[in-house]
Amino acid sequence: MSVHSPNPALILQNKRWNGLRNVLEREGPFCKDDFSASSDNLEFLQTNCKLLVIGAGGLGCELLKDLALMGFGNLHVIDMDTIELSNLNRQFLFRRTDIGSSKAECAARFINGRVPTCRVTPHFKKIQDFDETFYQQFNLIVCGLDSIVARRWINGMLLSMLRYEDDGSIDTTSIIPMIDGGTEGFKGNARVILPGYTACIECTLDLFPPQVNYPLCTIANTPRLPEHCIEYVKIIQWDKESPFGVPLDGDDPQHIGWVYERALERANEFNITGVTYRLVQGVVKHIIPAVASTNAVIAAACALEVFKLATSCYDYMSNYLNFNDLDGIYTYTYEAEKSEGCLACSNVPQTVTVDDPNTTTLEDVIKQLCDSPRFQLKNPSLTTVMKDGKQKTLYMSTVKSIEVATRKNLTQSLGELGLQDGQQLTVTDVTSPSAMIVQLKFQGNEIEMV
């Protein structure tokens, strides 16, 4: 009778999860009350828990690697970008032969081939291409994004999916936790968001670093830097020539290519050097150079929070981690507070203050919605219901024919448009999947409407 020696591959596979079993199959002093030590916990991670990773760039590659090696067996990843040569120094799931291919598809293929217990499903699309039915299938969502607009959009989507009981309380089964990570050079942050319960992205919008803006007079008349030439094309030339008939999309290679060519022409006109395709992307999308070590630390922090939320083996972070390794290593955690007047999660109309409705134009209101730290909208469209009960489109920028028809309203005062004190406007914008309500508030009772 022959004795077969154990399969070395199976032995290695079983040993791979020993560390996780020590956490998931034993009670400990820091376990949550609802934690139950069992071998079923690891099985849940490997078979039933479904995670969505948004972004497969520097942070996303680290997240996919960490989550796959932590035992999660069912991952989905969304990314609309393709791989460039400059990505290879830190996005380690890609190779030179992958240049020009989908980040999501290449990352999924690499993880699937390297970690046999994990199956990654790629989606080479925008997050806006999916509806709430798609997002409802996941237990948790973890973000590795470089776009504030995208963060605000997915934040709004998760809030819009909340269901409420008859007494107004949130149905806890409708909550999908979001773990968000972000890096900027040697700085980074990780946060846990329970939609409807904790501070959301909009509650702390002012924590994001201010965008770099160049004086209009400089970029129009006396450009000195390659960035000035790019901003000129982005701000002035794009609207003037409207090459594609739609707003500039920093994620569209055709749009970026057009901006690059025009910026290069302007740079040559003023004897300015340094305009490159990559710089154009950076200026248009406000990209900050990434540092691989920062990505690794923040991804590890995010993955740990995903693990704690999925298993209840320990309390999750409450709720915002800051990290800085510019001079040594410095990190701290604090609880970001939920804002009672939050644009997204407060469920109350937002007030827009108007000094004089007879001199304030609709364009002034739109500018306030874009420039205000509280709103920070990008390209809002506005509708309202007039006194006769009819709906009126005040301005819509996303549909060319309607934009042309409503453009004349921009220069009209609120009085001329027939808008009243306390009137509610419905505002849509790329920063949110759902509309928000703003309420006009006219200062002073002595103002007479024309």
Side-chain angles (χ1 to χ4, degrees):
M1 180 177 178
S2 60
V3 178
H4 295 283
S5 60
N7 188 328
L10 291 177
I11 295 175
L12 180 63
Q13 189 61 36
N14 288 331
K15 287 184 176 180
R16 178 192 288 273
W17 310 118
N18 282 346
L20 288 178
R21 290 193 176 96
N22 288 336
V23 175
L24 299 177
E25 298 178 8
R26 300 191 303 188
E27 296 283 355
F30 301 110
C31 293
K32 292 183 66 176
D33 293 337
D34 58 347
F35 174 72
S36 177
S38 169
S39 58
D40 294 339
N41 292 326
L42 180 57
E43 184 180 352
F44 170 73
L45 293 188
Q46 293 181 332
T47 59
N48 297 326
C49 188
K50 200 170 187 179
L51 303 183
L52 174 64
V53 177
I54 302 180
L59 199 54
C61 283
E62 292 280 358
L63 283 167
L64 288 169
K65 176 260 295 180
D66 289 347
L67 294 170
L69 294 177
M70 290 182 82
F72 291 96
N74 191 351
L75 305 179
H76 286 240
V77 58
I78 299 177
D79 198 301
M80 61 170 292
D81 287 343
T82 55
I83 299 164
E84 299 177 7
L85 178 63
S86 61
N87 300 148
L88 302 184
N89 71 329
R90 64 193 180 281
Q91 297 175 24
F92 55 87
L93 299 183
F94 311 135
R95 300 296 180 264
R96 184 177 288 270
T97 53
D98 296 327
I99 292 175
S101 301
S102 159
K103 286 186 176 181
E105 292 172 357
C106 290
R109 184 167 58 247
F110 190 100
I111 295 293
N112 291 339
R114 192 66 175 267
V115 185
T117 58
C118 183
R119 180 55 47 187
V120 183
T121 303
H123 302 278
F124 183 31
K125 294 183 178 181
K126 298 180 180 180
I127 57 174
Q128 294 87 349
D129 292 337
F130 298 97
D131 59 16
E132 65 177 35
T133 304
F134 172 80
Y135 293 105
Q136 283 172 341
Q137 65 182 303
F138 298 103
N139 297 93
L140 297 106
I141 292 176
V142 54
C143 299
L145 292 161
D146 62 0
S147 166
I148 296 175
V149 171
R151 280 188 176 90
R152 296 174 69 180
W153 191 92
I154 191 64
N155 177 75
M157 171 58 76
L158 295 181
L159 288 168
S160 71
M161 288 159 50
L162 293 176
R163 297 189 300 271
Y164 293 85
E165 306 287 0
D166 294 337
D167 60 0
S169 61
I170 296 174
D171 178 0
T172 56
T173 61
S174 67
I175 297 174
I176 299 179
M178 179 170 77
I179 295 84
D180 177 57
T183 62
E184 182 181 293
F186 290 95
K187 301 176 183 178
N189 65 79
R191 63 188 303 183
V192 174
I193 296 173
L194 301 182
Y197 273 93
T198 64
C200 73
I201 295 291
E202 298 284 348
C203 287
T204 55
L205 196 58
D206 57 343
L207 292 179
F208 289 106
Q211 306 295 342
V212 177
N213 296 309
Y214 301 100
L216 187 60
C217 58
T218 299
I219 66 174
N221 302 315
T222 57
R224 300 183 301 276
L225 302 172
E227 290 86 352
H228 293 163
C229 301
I230 299 168
E231 283 285 340
Y232 177 85
V233 178
K234 171 187 170 184
I235 296 174
I236 299 174
Q237 206 165 343
W238 182 276
D239 289 338
K240 184 178 180 181
E241 300 187 24
S242 189
F244 299 95
V246 295
L248 176 61
D249 183 355
D251 292 315
D252 190 321
Q254 285 186 305
H255 291 197
I256 295 295
W258 190 91
V259 174
Y260 168 64
E261 292 173 1
R262 299 302 180 277
L264 197 58
E265 292 173 0
R266 184 168 177 81
N268 292 334
E269 181 183 344
F270 287 89
N271 296 317
I272 298 172
T273 59
V275 174
T276 64
Y277 187 88
R278 186 180 180 187
L279 180 63
V280 170
Q281 285 183 305
V283 172
V284 172
K285 297 178 65 177
H286 302 287
I287 295 174
I288 305 296
V291 176
S293 59
T294 311
N295 285 334
V297 171
I298 296 303
C302 290
L304 182 60
E305 295 308 315
V306 172
F307 182 80
K308 290 189 289 187
L309 283 164
T311 63
S312 294
C313 67
Y314 190 73
D315 278 326
Y316 56 84
M317 177 174 62
S318 181
N319 53 21
Y320 200 109
L321 167 74
N322 265 324
F323 173 82
N324 188 332
D325 62 346
L326 186 60
D327 297 307
I329 295 179
Y330 175 68
T331 183
Y332 67 95
T333 304
Y334 73 98
E335 184 174 0
E337 295 183 356
K338 195 171 183 291
S339 172
E340 294 183 359
C342 174
L343 194 65
C345 67
S346 65
N347 292 323
V348 297
Q350 303 297 307
T351 301
V352 174
T353 303
V354 175
D355 292 331
D356 186 349
N358 296 326
T359 59
T360 300
T361 65
L362 183 64
E363 190 170 24
D364 293 331
V365 173
I366 292 176
K367 190 173 187 300
Q368 182 177 342
L369 292 174
C370 293
D371 295 345
S372 167
R374 183 161 57 104
F375 294 103
Q376 296 187 40
L377 302 187
K378 300 299 180 183
N379 200 21
S381 298
L382 291 79
T383 60
T384 190
V385 177
M386 304 303 289
K387 292 181 68 176
D388 58 6
K390 293 182 179 180
Q391 184 164 327
K392 179 178 182 179
T393 300
L394 298 172
Y395 182 71
M396 183 176 291
S397 59
T398 53
V399 181
K400 187 65 176 178
S401 59
I402 302 178
E403 193 282 329
V404 172
T406 58
R407 191 182 299 166
K408 63 180 183 297
N409 292 341
L410 293 175
T411 56
Q412 290 187 286
S413 71
L414 302 187
E416 292 170 332
L417 291 170
L419 302 181
Q420 306 291 321
D421 183 26
Q423 185 149 1
Q424 293 187 347
L425 310 181
T426 302
V427 182
T428 57
D429 190 63
V430 294
T431 57
S432 175
S434 55
M436 70 173 181
I437 305 298
V438 300
Q439 190 167 33
L440 298 176
K441 181 180 181 182
F442 297 163
Q443 295 282 51
N445 298 322
E446 71 283 356
I447 296 175
E448 296 183 4
M449 301 291 292
V450 295

